[in-house]
Amino acid sequence: MKPTTLFSVLLTAAALLTATAAGARAPAESVSPNFSHAITNVPGKSLVAVEVNYPPGAASAPHSHAKSAFIYAYVVSGAIESQVDDGPARVYTAGQAFYEEPGAHHRISRNASKTAPAKLLAVFVVDTGDTPLTTPHE
């Protein structure tokens, strides 16, 4: 899949995640593409990055990612509360990072503050064409 096609798929997945979260709670996070490119020395893999912006009090719906996706998440600003699988919920602040293994269930992903925004950079190493990148859960 060409990087521009992957970017289009990513935008569609981001819109789905945002629309689902908006229907379940307000305010919702916004997801924006940041980078997408095939990893030339690892055939069949791509690197995709998205920015997740959380207004004060915002949260993502519980979700999982593409089955092949290994995710590195870096808190750019603010504080993000996260729980992956059955691990403990933890608050990460600007400059801290966590990861998600392929097939993980992201149970909690939200701004830890009711008064300040937060931003997360999520970097996916994923099989090229493995979509959707994000699937919300009820």
Side-chain angles (χ1 to χ4, degrees), residues 7-77:
F7 231 51
S8 296
V9 169
L10 178 61
L11 283 174
T12 302
L16 175 63
L17 178 62
T18 301
T20 301
R25 59 178 75 73
E29 84 288 2
S30 64
V31 180
S32 304
N34 176 281
F35 179 84
S36 178
H37 197 274
I39 304 173
T40 54
N41 63 335
V42 185
K45 293 288 187 181
S46 291
L47 186 92
V48 177
V50 298
E51 292 178 17
V52 184
N53 288 287
Y54 291 96
S60 300
H63 59 275
S64 57
H65 296 288
K67 296 280 187 221
S68 67
F70 177 89
I71 300 151
Y72 167 77
Y74 177 80
V75 180
V76 176
S77 62

Side-chain angles (χ1 to χ4, degrees), residues 93-110:
T93 57
Q96 293 183 315
F98 60 93
Y99 66 92
E100 294 180 48
E101 295 283 355
H105 183 197
H106 203 159
R107 298 177 185 285
I108 298 172
S109 184
R110 64 178 160 231

